[in-house]
Amino acid sequence: MNLVFFDLESQNLFEDVGGRENIAQLKVACGVTWSTQKNEFSVYWEKDIPALIEELKSATRVVGFNLRGFDYLVLQPYAPDMRFASIPTLDLYLDLQKILGFSIGLDSIASASLGAAKTADGVKSVEWFRAGELDKVAEYCKADVDITRRVYEFGRDNGFIYYRSKLGSKLKVAVKWK
C-alpha cells in the first residue's frame, strides 16, 4: 500500500485569471507529495510535472484536501489526455462536505483535531512565488501536506475528527478513512 498525500500551490490567483471558471490558467508553482512508501516529501516545480503525475498515478491512493475541485484541475492543462478522475483518490474536503452538508476548511479541522494551524495561505504563497522566494512556497506546501496527512491519520485511527463551527465551538464528526 502506498498512500501519497498531495497538495499544490499555484502561480496565480483566481482574480488574476478572471475567476474560478478559468482555474486551468492558474498554473502550477509547486507540488508536494509525501509517500508512505518513501516516508519523505518530494517537491515538484512546474518543469517537474510529468514526474509528479507519474507519482500520483503509481499511488495506491492519493489523499488530499480539495484535490478534485482545485489541484487536479490546475494540473489538467499539463496532461490534457490524463483522466485525473481515474486516480484512486480520497479528497478529505469532498468527503467531509458530503457528511456535513457544507464546506469546511483545512485550518478548522487541523486546529480542532490536532491543535495545529496552517502556516500561511494560497495568497501568501503566490506573493512568495512572484518574489522568487521559492523555498517559502515549498515549505508552506510541505506544511499543508503534513497537516493533511496528520488529519487523515487522526481520522483513520479514531473514526472521527473535530472541526470548529463558525461560532468557534469544537464539534465532532465520524469518518471512515480506513
Side-chain angles (χ1 to χ4, degrees):
M1 163 99 41
N2 182 30
L3 295 180
V4 173
F5 297 84
F6 167 57
D7 186 39
L8 73 71
E9 300 306 319
S10 63
Q11 294 181 27
N12 297 298
L13 303 170
F14 286 119
E15 63 196 43
D16 300 324
V17 299
R20 189 168 271 285
E21 62 275 4
N22 298 317
I23 195 168
Q25 295 173 24
L26 291 177
K27 298 176 80 177
V28 173
C30 175
V32 170
T33 60
W34 188 89
S35 159
T36 57
Q37 201 168 60
K38 294 188 278 186
N39 196 31
E40 66 183 16
F41 291 103
S42 297
V43 177
Y44 300 92
W45 301 101
E46 189 177 29
K47 65 181 177 44
D48 306 317
I49 289 175
L52 166 61
I53 291 172
E54 284 308 308
E55 181 174 6
L56 297 176
K57 285 171 31 179
S58 74
T60 307
R61 178 183 288 162
V62 176
V63 180
F65 198 84
N66 201 18
L67 295 176
R68 296 203 187 277
F70 184 78
D71 306 68
Y72 288 168
L73 298 177
V74 175
L75 274 177
Q76 190 66 65
Y78 297 93
D81 297 330
M82 173 70 189
R83 289 191 57 245
F84 286 94
S86 70
I87 296 175
T89 299
L90 173 58
D91 188 327
L92 303 182
Y93 174 80
L94 288 179
D95 192 57
L96 290 167
Q97 186 178 48
K98 186 168 60 174
I99 294 166
L100 295 169
F102 56 87
S103 299
I104 193 149
L106 181 58
D107 209 33
S108 167
I109 298 159
S111 65
S113 297
L114 308 172
K118 286 174 53 87
T119 59
D121 60 34
V123 174
K124 193 67 181 167
S125 177
V126 170
E127 288 175 14
W128 289 329
F129 179 81
R130 291 177 178 169
E133 297 179 278
L134 302 183
D135 57 330
K136 289 183 179 180
V137 176
E139 288 307 310
Y140 165 62
C141 199
K142 281 182 188 177
D144 266 12
V145 169
D146 187 55
I147 281 178
T148 301
R149 178 182 60 82
R150 291 170 50 214
V151 164
Y152 166 81
E153 289 170 348
F154 183 95
R156 177 199 65 201
D157 295 347
N158 295 292
F160 65 87
I161 60 161
Y162 294 107
Y163 67 96
R164 297 248 176 241
S165 73
K166 291 190 189 284
L167 300 175
S169 51
K170 187 173 171 178
L171 302 173
K172 184 176 180 179
V173 60
V175 295
K176 295 177 181 162
W177 296 341
K178 296 290 179 197

